[in-house]
Amino acid sequence: MQRNAGTDGLKIALAMMVVALHASLFTETAEYLNYIFVNGLLRIAVPTFFIINGFYFYPLIARNRSFTNWAKRLAVLYGIWMLLYLPFYWPVHWELARDQIGLLEKLVFGYHHLWYLVGTLGAGAVLHVLRTRSDKHILISAVALFVMGYVLQAIGNYAPIEEGVAGYLLNSGWIFRNFLFFGFPLFAIGYLIAKHRLHKLPRRDPQLLCAIFASVMLLVAESSVHYFLHPAKAGVDMYLSLLVLCPLLFIFFHSRSARLNTDFLSKLSTAIYLTHVFFINILLNTGWMEQGTPLFVMVMFASTVVSALLVWSDRRWNILF
């Protein structure tokens, strides 16, 4: 089966961006540079992954394929990787209610980067429910939900409530970084790109590249505003500019004509995404390295080598990626 080389290459780049984000690229340099990358440019990665997933979800709906089989595969994948990461999030003091609640949150919303698998599963479920509604309804719902998530994030960052249930929820990242407010909106955009074949429109690369550049500058401006306004330089996951930048980026790469006869790059990107936190945890917890660019380089090298071996060994069972 032939694959789109542009998209698979993009997925490798996105996986590298996720590693750079979690390694806190450029921490050892200027604070502003670190913030613009970690809380700005590198935030392109996960939304674009959601768009790609939504794009490839469209054939399942169009050809009336089994949603249950799709969901089961994702659920199994989530279960396997949550089990593999269990030593990193199992509470030390199990008897404490706080640790029990923390464990429950991780099981429901996902440990660390694994929230992306839950987000994809939930986004697909929502879109499957809405599949008979008009495209306009789906698009409006997607944008509205993303804006709601953006507002919840802003409240948590700039008008925090310190006490009570409301304070607990608004100070929890998963209240906005979840399948409903984050995953579904981008997933739905990818679905609509595939349905309306926007990637097949006549190629106008100069205009598309100019639009991508303008969107990148808008993202830098947004992240700069947060850097200069927030006294504690709080982290930011959701930017309004991502709703424009990520679809344009995906369309540009997917519209390339090059093809591949293997899914190795696609699976390698998934493997790097899923395994890299192992190496970050080990290197940081043992004190061998600190966050920054050297950590990114080391983790990128280790996760790429191990991921390539895992992808090769998983060819027969096809269950890890």
Side-chain angles (χ1 to χ4, degrees):
M1 182 182 75
Q2 285 198 327
R3 295 188 58 85
N4 186 288
T7 298
D8 284 359
L10 174 62
K11 289 175 69 175
I12 291 291
L14 297 175
M16 293 178 66
M17 292 172 72
V18 172
V19 177
L21 189 158
H22 291 152
S24 195
L25 189 71
F26 300 137
T27 291
E28 71 283 359
T29 64
E31 182 185 62
Y32 175 72
L33 181 65
N34 168 254
Y35 190 91
I36 291 301
F37 272 86
V38 173
N39 289 288
L41 295 172
L42 297 178
R43 298 291 174 172
I44 294 170
V46 173
T48 308
F49 270 131
F50 277 125
I51 287 174
I52 294 171
N53 291 339
F55 182 89
Y56 287 110
F57 186 78
Y58 171 70
L60 183 145
I61 299 296
R63 299 169 187 172
N64 201 28
R65 293 176 178 171
S66 172
F67 170 78
T68 303
N69 290 341
W70 179 87
K72 280 182 179 178
R73 172 163 172 74
L74 262 179
V76 169
L77 191 66
Y78 176 69
I80 289 172
W81 286 98
M82 282 293 288
L83 187 61
L84 291 173
Y85 275 102
L86 185 62
F88 293 111
Y89 64 84
W90 186 262
V92 177
H93 303 289
W94 170 248
E95 68 280 2
L96 297 179
R98 179 188 60 191
D99 286 359
Q100 293 174 11
I101 293 174
L103 177 62
L104 181 61
E105 286 180 358
K106 290 180 177 63
L107 292 175
V108 173
F109 295 100
Y111 165 72
H112 203 292
H113 60 311
L114 299 182
W115 81 270
Y116 165 71
L117 297 178
V118 181
T120 300
L121 179 58
V126 173
L127 190 53
H128 188 259
V129 170
L130 296 178
R131 67 190 185 280
T132 58
R133 305 301 294 266
S134 69
D135 294 342
K136 181 179 179 180
H137 178 92
I138 292 174
L139 181 60
I140 291 175
S141 298
V143 173
L145 286 169
F146 190 88
V147 171
M148 288 173 64
Y150 180 84
V151 171
L152 286 173
Q153 174 186 250
I155 293 173
N157 280 344
Y158 292 97
I161 301 172
E162 302 296 337
E163 299 179 355
V165 175
Y168 173 76
L169 292 175
L170 288 173
N171 288 308
S172 301
W174 52 260
I175 195 64
F176 59 85
R177 193 184 61 208
N178 54 46
F179 75 91
L180 187 62
F181 295 127
F182 196 119
F184 167 72
L186 283 309
F187 195 92
I189 289 172
Y191 167 86
L192 292 173
I193 289 173
K195 185 173 183 178
H196 293 276
R197 300 174 63 83
L198 299 183
H199 57 295
K200 294 291 187 180
L201 294 177
R203 291 260 295 273
R204 294 184 175 88
D205 286 353
Q207 295 91 325
L208 189 54
L209 287 172
C210 286
I212 290 172
F213 178 76
S215 301
V216 169
M217 290 299 99
L218 183 58
L219 175 58
V220 170
E222 272 194 278
S223 56
S224 296
V225 167
H226 285 287
Y227 175 82
F228 289 111
L229 285 185
H230 199 283
K233 308 293 185 289
V236 179
D237 291 278
M238 303 177 73
Y239 290 99
L240 296 178
S241 54
L242 295 175
L243 287 176
V244 177
L245 172 56
C246 296
L248 291 176
L249 195 66
F250 168 70
I251 289 172
F252 176 80
F253 279 93
H254 194 78
S255 61
R256 304 305 95 184
S257 59
R259 292 292 182 267
L260 295 172
N261 293 319
T262 173
D263 63 356
F264 178 78
L265 284 183
S266 177
K267 289 196 171 186
L268 181 64
S269 69
T270 303
I272 291 171
Y273 181 93
L274 293 173
T275 61
H276 77 279
V277 174
F278 273 116
F279 300 103
I280 289 179
N281 286 345
I282 291 170
L283 292 172
L284 291 181
N285 293 342
T286 56
W288 290 347
M289 299 190 74
E290 296 181 351
Q291 286 191 318
T293 306
L295 178 64
F296 162 68
V297 174
M298 182 63 73
V299 171
M300 197 66 233
F301 173 77
S303 59
T304 300
V305 172
V306 170
S307 294
L309 293 173
L310 288 175
V311 169
W312 180 82
S313 62
D314 191 48
R315 289 181 303 172
R316 179 178 299 177
W317 297 283
N318 196 32
I319 60 173
L320 288 177
F321 311 107

